[in-house]
Amino acid sequence: MGPKARVTERDFFRQPLLEQINLRHPLVRLAGLIDWAHLGTTMSASFVSVAGRSATSPRLIAGLFYLQHTFDLSDEKVVWQWVENPYWQVFTGEVFLQTEPPIDPSSLTRWRKRLGEAGIEELLAQTNIERRRSRFNRRGQRRRRGQLGRARQLDLFFSG
């Protein structure tokens, strides 16, 4: 059994996160650049669940690992920061604001073991490739400093 399918119908009483946040935020832009479907198929062997509840979303796990690596956080801190930060929730694929942790922090350790060091490196490499691609315009020319704005600020934060 794979991850649960997202409910696409609109909830009358809740407003989607994308309507509440700044769409130019670097994490929102990076989330749009990453090929989540490719990461999902790459990680799908580790997410197979024959019986029991459905598997956790590969995008959630990949996003949490990326955020944990980027901001140098422990398993517990990355999960609790996720609850407090709507941009992190959008980055990991949430549609509506969540007020409870998506997973138990100890399950990140189990996912890390399932994926192995090579799987984690592949995941981080994919997200870093997409971040680097955002530095170039459609013609493949490097963008000037003024064109990058917040994305450049986030790149400087990530690299230093």
Side-chain angles (χ1 to χ4, degrees):
M1 187 181 321
K4 284 190 270 185
R6 293 222 173 257
V7 177
T8 56
E9 66 184 44
R10 193 161 164 105
D11 188 335
F12 184 71
F13 296 105
R14 297 192 305 178
Q15 187 175 14
L17 277 171
L18 288 175
E19 293 179 7
Q20 301 176 38
I21 61 173
N22 178 5
L23 298 178
R24 293 181 300 190
H25 187 278
L27 279 176
V28 176
R29 293 170 71 188
L30 180 60
L33 295 173
I34 295 173
D35 185 1
W36 294 107
H38 172 71
L39 279 177
T41 56
T42 303
M43 298 170 62
S44 64
S46 302
F47 285 84
V48 174
S49 175
V50 178
R53 71 178 197 178
S54 57
T56 306
S57 162
R59 180 172 177 171
L60 174 67
I61 298 300
L64 287 174
F65 279 138
Y66 177 78
L67 294 166
Q68 182 178 30
H69 174 77
T70 301
F71 296 102
D72 195 26
L73 298 171
S74 67
D75 291 349
E76 188 169 304
K77 285 185 179 179
V78 76
V79 170
W80 286 105
Q81 285 284 344
W82 181 92
V83 172
E84 295 177 5
N85 194 329
Y87 291 102
W88 286 23
Q89 291 184 24
V90 168
F91 183 72
T92 57
E94 286 298 328
V95 177
F96 300 107
L97 182 67
Q98 303 298 315
T99 57
E100 296 292 324
I103 57 172
D104 187 77
S106 63
S107 63
L108 283 176
T109 304
R110 290 189 289 277
W111 284 114
R112 197 174 294 110
K113 287 179 184 176
R114 278 186 181 182
L115 292 172
E117 192 172 325
I120 298 293
E121 290 300 321
E122 165 70 21
L123 185 156
L124 294 175
Q126 175 69 23
T127 53
N128 284 331
I129 287 169
E130 296 306 329
R131 195 177 77 223
R132 285 190 195 109
R133 281 187 192 157
S134 69
R135 293 181 184 174
F136 295 90
N137 64 17
R138 290 184 198 154
R139 295 184 186 134
Q141 299 168 336
R142 190 166 182 82
R143 294 182 181 174
R144 284 180 267 140
R145 180 175 245 160
Q147 292 176 308
L148 288 177
R150 289 182 186 215
R152 177 70 177 149
Q153 292 171 0
L154 187 63
D155 282 339
L156 291 173
F157 177 77
F158 286 165
S159 63

